[in-house]
Amino acid sequence: MELYNKYFMKQKMMRTLLKTLVIILIFSIYFQGLRVLALTFVNVLAACIVEFIFEKKINKKTKISEAAIVTAILYTFTLPVSLPFWISIVGIIVGIFFGKMVFGGFGRNIFNPALVGRAFIYINFPQQLTIFWNETAKLGDFPGGFTKWIYPILDQNTAATPMIDYKASGVLPKLQDLLIGDISGVIGETSKILIIILAIYLVYKKVASWEIMVGSAIGFTALSYILIALGFEEVMNPLYGMLVGGFLLGTCFMATDPISAAKTPTGKWLYGIIVGIVTVIIRSFALFAGGMMFAILIGNTFAPIIDYTVKYFKSRKKEVKA
């Protein structure tokens, strides 16, 4: 513990977030195998090394933010369990360095660093990120992945993730399977019920913004129903849409990042709505099966503009009243 305190900054908010991420990690190991733990470990190690070197050389500090651990775990949750370790390490290095440290370190980044890393490898290694998926344990198969390194790769001709299946054939899994989490997908696509419960806990602890979460759901649902009413068959029913892919994980744990998200009360609503709307557009009309990652990064781009605009109109309103 002394060694840990020597090299890491204590961040109360990050520690609260870490507790919830560890719970998701345990469930992910059960469903997908011990390789989840190994992948998480190498990503956390790489993230801490990169941040330590940067802080020591540039900011003349010798402590790593606990946010680096959070970033590495969230990044891991966006990956398929079979991803080669070296590709995973490349991604987290890019995410920490170009998504965070080049802006000056903790608290100064514009974009969510976990998603910067994921976007980089998604674009450069599309096959490894979109083609190879593995079977998962079922809820009653205890001890499940706790005694397996990894489950077999799915037959690419007959099965894939729910998002890819829907894109290809319009077929959706059972609602029960989506809620429980025993479906193929990225590591963090575990039990949706669990994610919702942990999101409520984060809101209770004032670690995550409920305005952003609800705003994302409103934007996603509203545009989905509008497009469905206009006859666009490629648009998924919003209830299923929020349960497949990374929508819930992204909304609750990444879009709510206090550094890269909007910070004004009104801005949080607008930011969340933008994330939800962009997710529907990308999923429905782009080549990508998912869209949450790019939607959040686009939301990050607009967050400072949203806050500036909200503050501007608020100050103008006060001047008019005066």
Side-chain angles (χ1 to χ4, degrees):
M1 182 58 69
E2 290 183 8
L3 185 64
Y4 181 88
N5 291 333
K6 180 180 178 181
Y7 288 105
F8 287 87
M9 291 186 284
K10 291 182 179 180
Q11 296 173 297
K12 185 178 179 180
M13 181 181 291
M14 293 299 117
R15 292 194 173 190
T16 301
L17 188 53
L18 273 171
K19 292 176 184 177
T20 62
L21 297 182
V22 168
I23 294 173
I24 295 177
L25 180 63
I26 292 171
F27 272 74
S28 298
I29 294 171
Y30 173 83
F31 284 121
Q32 301 202 37
L34 291 170
R35 197 174 192 276
V36 170
L37 185 61
L39 206 58
T40 303
F41 175 78
V42 297
N43 288 334
V44 169
L45 182 62
C48 291
I49 290 173
V50 172
E51 183 161 322
F52 177 78
I53 293 173
F54 184 93
E55 291 289 357
K56 189 172 183 180
K57 296 295 183 181
I58 304 301
N59 294 331
K60 308 303 179 184
K61 298 177 182 178
T62 58
K63 287 202 171 185
I64 307 163
S65 67
E66 290 181 328
I69 301 176
V70 170
T71 295
I73 296 176
L74 284 173
Y75 165 78
T76 305
F77 286 171
T78 69
L79 308 175
V81 66
S82 60
L83 186 72
F85 285 103
W86 72 270
I87 295 179
S88 180
I89 292 171
V90 168
I92 192 60
I93 290 174
V94 169
I96 292 292
F97 186 76
F98 290 102
K100 179 180 179 181
M101 306 317 298
V102 294
F103 293 100
F106 175 74
R108 298 183 178 90
N109 51 287
I110 298 173
F111 301 100
N112 184 301
L115 294 181
V116 170
R118 210 269 183 172
F120 179 83
I121 60 172
Y122 186 90
I123 293 169
N124 288 281
F125 307 100
Q127 285 191 327
Q128 290 84 348
L129 267 293
T130 60
I131 293 178
F132 302 104
W133 303 99
N134 295 72
E135 295 178 11
T136 61
K138 298 301 179 182
L139 190 60
D141 293 344
F142 189 82
F146 293 125
T147 58
K148 290 182 178 291
W149 175 246
I150 191 172
Y151 282 88
I153 293 178
L154 288 166
D155 182 352
Q156 296 175 29
N157 296 318
T158 60
T161 68
M163 282 298 304
I164 294 174
D165 278 345
Y166 184 80
K167 273 277 189 180
S169 61
V171 176
L172 283 170
K174 295 179 181 179
L175 190 62
Q176 177 183 340
D177 293 336
L178 290 172
L179 290 171
I180 293 173
D182 53 355
I183 54 176
S184 60
V186 299
I187 290 170
E189 289 181 25
T190 181
S191 169
K192 302 304 188 295
I193 295 176
L194 177 65
I195 291 175
I196 292 171
I197 292 172
L198 295 177
I200 293 172
Y201 173 77
L202 292 178
V203 170
Y204 171 73
K205 286 290 188 177
K206 299 181 179 180
V207 172
S209 166
W210 67 270
E211 295 95 335
I212 292 175
M213 296 182 194
V214 175
S216 296
I218 290 173
F220 187 95
T221 303
L223 183 59
S224 293
Y225 277 127
I226 290 172
L227 293 175
I228 290 172
L230 292 174
F232 290 95
E233 296 181 356
E234 56 267 70
V235 180
M236 190 182 300
N237 180 296
L239 174 60
Y240 278 90
M242 287 188 282
L243 294 177
V244 301
F247 181 82
L248 278 182
L249 180 70
T251 296
C252 300
F253 290 91
M254 298 184 187
T256 55
D257 172 28
I259 306 302
S260 57
K263 298 170 180 59
T264 58
T266 303
K268 291 177 181 179
W269 284 102
L270 296 173
Y271 169 82
I273 291 171
I274 288 174
V275 170
I277 288 175
V278 174
T279 302
V280 174
I281 293 172
I282 294 175
R283 281 186 177 184
S284 303
F285 305 113
L287 293 174
F288 310 112
M292 195 61 188
M293 170 181 65
F294 292 115
I296 294 174
L297 291 173
I298 291 171
N300 293 162
T301 304
F302 283 98
I305 302 172
I306 293 171
D307 282 337
Y308 175 83
T309 303
V310 168
K311 290 176 182 178
Y312 173 79
F313 281 106
K314 188 175 181 179
S315 63
R316 290 286 295 175
K317 188 176 181 180
K318 287 182 179 179
E319 289 177 5
V320 171
K321 287 184 177 180

